[in-house]
Amino acid sequence: MGLDAAAPKSYIRHMSVHKLEITAQPREPDMPETLGFRPLYRQVKAIFVRRLMDGVWAPGAVLPSEGQLAAEIGVSQGTVRKALDELAAENLVVRRQGRGTFVAEHDERRILFQFFKLAPDQGAPRFPDSVVLSVTTGPADDAERTALDLQEAAPITRIRRQRSFDGAPLIVETVSLPQALFPGLENGPIPNNLYSLYAGHYGITIANARERLKAVALSAKDAAALGAAAGEPALQIDRIALSLDGTPVEHRLSLCLTQEVHYLSDLR
Amino acid sequence: MGLDAAAPKSYIRHMSVHKLEITAQPREPDMPETLGFRPLYRQVKAIFVRRLMDGVWAPGAVLPSEGQLAAEIGVSQGTVRKALDELAAENLVVRRQGRGTFVAEHDERRILFQFFKLAPDQGAPRFPDSVVLSVTTGPADDAERTALDLQEAAPITRIRRQRSFDGAPLIVETVSLPQALFPGLENGPIPNNLYSLYAGHYGITIANARERLKAVALSAKDAAALGAAAGEPALQIDRIALSLDGTPVEHRLSLCLTQEVHYLSDLR
DNA sequence: TAGTGGTCTAGACCACCTA
DNA sequence: AGGTGGTCTAGACCACTAA
């Protein structure tokens, strides 16, 4: 690690005191001097993200106070603050006035807020029940290779499950995971909250995801899993979930009956 | 207007100099003193939003510099900056280093980025062509009354149109608008970019929107407008668009064929 | 009461743009 | 060259929480 040489001269005096190396990166003469400019607070943020990835700061844990971090890294509290603010904006960290800054957890509250966009037409959003239909392994198919950015035929673990509200089938989905990242997952029990499992058991934090939605007609097989008629319209959700460093680590193809439920998208 | 009395005592000295009144709001004795606390920068932000609503700052215009605004209002540049940063985060304002801060416009670029989430499976996102099928007026139906938070039977203008990529029908939608807010709209020409019309002709800025998605089977009428078969699955998008002050001003019900197109939702 | 994050200020300097 | 937003610092005080 180490902070860029892009830090302005006037701070060098200050920075020369702290523990981080100033890695002098010589620039190409014909490159504008500012092309590689990265603000200090982003470098500090990168240090923090690294600590999250490495498990130095585990989910639920309290971070050191802003003042302590500032002193440790050798920057002002305002710079630490700006770095933490960005992490909070990305839901990687939760700040609570008077208490401290905590590493975000994948509890049901967060998942409901960030990752589960299906809500009942009437009533409050809630977490569905899950029944695992099968857990299988095999080489990645084309869709999985594209989604997960994998080499040909990389081994994949697939979880197929049905999810429901009060016993009424709602979703049938297939979750595809690279075995290299989740070894042995196919042998253990599969909890309802997968992201909590990824974090707790494999040290992989899902940071964000991208979903592509289509309306499709149910196949006979999917219809059977949902107790619906083949050909019935269903909402298809194709999700790619990314870890802290932006690597795609999960592909999920969900089919949802939307008679009494909708997908909520806030355009801000 | 005027800033809260909640401003800390140490700033009163400073604030007594500037032009804004300090409206003393007496508190209930049993209420915690901090319940009504609103940071200075949010009060400043509210002043700016008001100027956007009143058209003092029109779409595309340059705002005064941070320093000028700070001097005018009588707060520090940092406080103005924090207010503008939030407006930029809400896409109400665009900041460009070295140039200035501009009022956001509803040009195609912004709409594509913020409001139009349908993208071709292959190729770059783009704006569809539109053909107006009908413009009608009438009393609000139940769905419109709920969506637009209207009195019973408030008059509504409805625009029904078909949208397509390269002549291939993609969307058939009905846009419902309160006539009170958009008088005479039913008589004029209907441009492809409605939000630009709202802003330019009626001074109404769409700030954000909420969409609810379902998969449905096409009715015979909608299928005809799309050149598709009745019963075919379609993505139904139910949008409520809100103006700067949070008032719902537009309801839009769209039906989309998603064979070669998907709805993109980023989970962050 | 002590400690945390949140707000606010003041001032310096940097990166970027226009002219 | 001059102006704009962007970064960084230093220090004070406020709001909130827990012991």
Side-chain angles (χ1 to χ4, degrees):
Chain A
M1 101 178 101
L3 303 186
D4 278 1
K9 289 172 193 170
S10 56
Y11 306 127
I12 298 287
R13 173 183 50 76
H14 182 267
M15 292 173 63
S16 65
V17 177
H18 64 65
K19 303 168 186 169
L20 294 172
E21 291 184 25
I22 300 171
T23 54
Q25 285 186 334
R27 301 175 187 286
E28 296 300 317
D30 52 359
M31 293 286 261
E33 187 179 339
T34 57
L35 243 193
F37 175 72
R38 221 177 50 170
L40 236 200
Y41 73 86
R42 284 206 193 274
Q43 304 178 44
V44 172
K45 180 183 169 190
I47 294 173
F48 294 165
V49 169
R50 166 67 52 174
R51 292 185 185 181
L52 293 174
M53 286 195 293
D54 294 346
V56 179
W57 294 339
V62 179
L63 270 58
S65 73
E66 295 180 352
Q68 287 167 8
L69 290 169
E72 179 209 339
I73 300 179
V75 300
S76 78
Q77 182 174 342
T79 299
V80 167
R81 160 169 289 277
K82 192 148 187 183
L84 290 177
D85 280 345
E86 289 206 349
L87 293 179
E90 294 167 22
N91 297 305
L92 299 180
V93 125
V94 178
R95 319 196 73 180
R96 288 183 218 155
Q97 184 172 127
R99 296 191 51 196
T101 304
F102 302 80
V103 182
E105 290 184 272
H106 277 108
D107 51 14
E108 294 198 358
R109 208 168 18 257
R110 179 185 174 189
I111 293 201
L112 231 42
F113 171 72
Q114 190 180 0
F115 293 108
F116 192 76
K117 310 305 286 182
L118 286 173
D121 291 342
Q122 263 93 37
R126 59 204 178 108
F127 212 61
D129 302 319
S130 297
V131 175
V132 174
L133 303 177
S134 69
V135 179
T136 59
T137 61
D141 62 26
D142 278 6
E144 289 162 344
R145 288 220 318 277
T146 305
L148 297 171
D149 201 13
L150 291 174
Q151 312 302 340
E152 188 133 358
I156 295 286
T157 299
R158 295 186 194 88
I159 302 166
R160 185 169 161 87
R161 61 180 181 173
Q162 182 238 55
R163 315 185 78 178
S164 56
F165 279 154
D166 303 324
L170 178 67
I171 305 171
V172 58
E173 67 187 2
T174 301
V175 181
S176 303
L177 304 161
Q179 279 189 280
L181 293 175
F182 301 94
L185 184 138
E186 66 277 15
N187 300 319
I190 307 293
N192 192 354
N193 184 341
L194 287 177
Y195 288 2
S196 185
L197 172 71
Y198 302 166
H201 205 274
Y202 297 95
I204 294 178
T205 298
I206 302 297
N208 55 65
R210 196 216 59 197
E211 294 192 328
R212 291 183 170 174
L213 282 63
K214 284 174 179 279
V216 301
L218 281 179
S219 69
K221 181 186 173 192
D222 292 326
L226 287 167
E232 191 171 322
L235 184 64
Q236 173 185 286
I237 306 176
D238 186 321
R239 174 190 294 184
I240 298 175
L242 310 177
S243 72
L244 280 170
D245 62 353
T247 310
V249 293
E250 182 206 66
H251 178 236
R252 185 184 294 215
L253 192 63
S254 308
L255 291 163
C256 316
L257 299 178
T258 54
Q259 278 83 1
E260 296 174 343
V261 128
H262 61 267
Y263 183 100
L264 183 60
S265 174
D266 273 311
L267 276 31
R268 295 186 185 282
Chain B
M1 107 176 96
L3 303 186
D4 279 1
K9 290 171 191 168
S10 56
Y11 305 129
I12 297 288
R13 175 183 48 76
H14 182 266
M15 293 174 63
S16 66
V17 177
H18 63 64
K19 303 168 187 168
L20 294 171
E21 291 186 25
I22 301 171
T23 54
Q25 286 186 335
R27 300 176 188 286
E28 296 301 316
D30 53 0
M31 292 286 261
E33 188 180 341
T34 57
L35 243 192
F37 175 72
R38 223 177 48 170
L40 237 200
Y41 72 86
R42 283 203 192 277
Q43 304 177 44
V44 172
K45 180 184 169 189
I47 294 174
F48 294 166
V49 170
R50 166 65 53 175
R51 292 185 185 180
L52 293 174
M53 286 196 292
D54 294 347
V56 178
W57 293 340
V62 174
L63 270 57
S65 74
E66 295 180 352
Q68 286 167 8
L69 290 168
E72 180 208 341
I73 300 179
V75 299
S76 78
Q77 181 174 342
T79 299
V80 167
R81 161 169 289 276
K82 193 149 186 183
L84 291 177
D85 280 345
E86 289 206 349
L87 292 179
E90 295 168 22
N91 297 305
L92 299 180
V93 125
V94 177
R95 320 196 71 181
R96 290 186 217 151
Q97 185 173 115
R99 297 191 49 196
T101 303
F102 302 79
V103 182
E105 289 184 272
H106 277 107
D107 51 15
E108 294 198 358
R109 206 166 21 250
R110 178 183 175 190
I111 292 200
L112 229 43
F113 172 72
Q114 189 179 2
F115 292 108
F116 192 76
K117 309 305 284 185
L118 286 174
D121 291 343
Q122 262 91 39
R126 56 203 179 111
F127 212 61
D129 302 318
S130 297
V131 176
V132 174
L133 303 177
S134 69
V135 179
T136 60
T137 61
D141 63 26
D142 278 6
E144 289 163 344
R145 287 219 319 277
T146 304
L148 296 172
D149 200 15
L150 291 174
Q151 313 300 340
E152 188 132 0
I156 295 286
T157 299
R158 294 186 194 88
I159 302 166
R160 186 169 161 85
R161 61 181 181 173
Q162 184 237 54
R163 315 185 78 178
S164 55
F165 279 154
D166 301 325
L170 177 68
I171 305 170
V172 59
E173 67 186 2
T174 301
V175 180
S176 303
L177 303 161
Q179 280 189 280
L181 292 175
F182 301 93
L185 183 139
E186 66 277 15
N187 300 319
I190 307 293
N192 192 355
N193 184 340
L194 287 177
Y195 288 1
S196 184
L197 172 72
Y198 302 166
H201 206 273
Y202 298 96
I204 293 178
T205 298
I206 301 297
N208 55 66
R210 195 215 62 199
E211 295 193 327
R212 291 183 171 172
L213 281 63
K214 284 174 179 279
V216 301
L218 279 179
S219 70
K221 181 186 174 192
D222 292 326
L226 287 168
E232 190 171 324
L235 183 64
Q236 174 185 284
I237 307 176
D238 185 322
R239 173 190 295 184
I240 298 176
L242 310 176
S243 73
L244 280 171
D245 61 354
T247 310
V249 294
E250 180 206 68
H251 178 238
R252 184 184 295 213
L253 192 64
S254 307
L255 291 163
C256 316
L257 299 178
T258 55
Q259 277 84 359
E260 296 173 345
V261 129
H262 61 267
Y263 183 101
L264 183 60
S265 174
D266 272 310
L267 276 31
R268 296 186 185 282

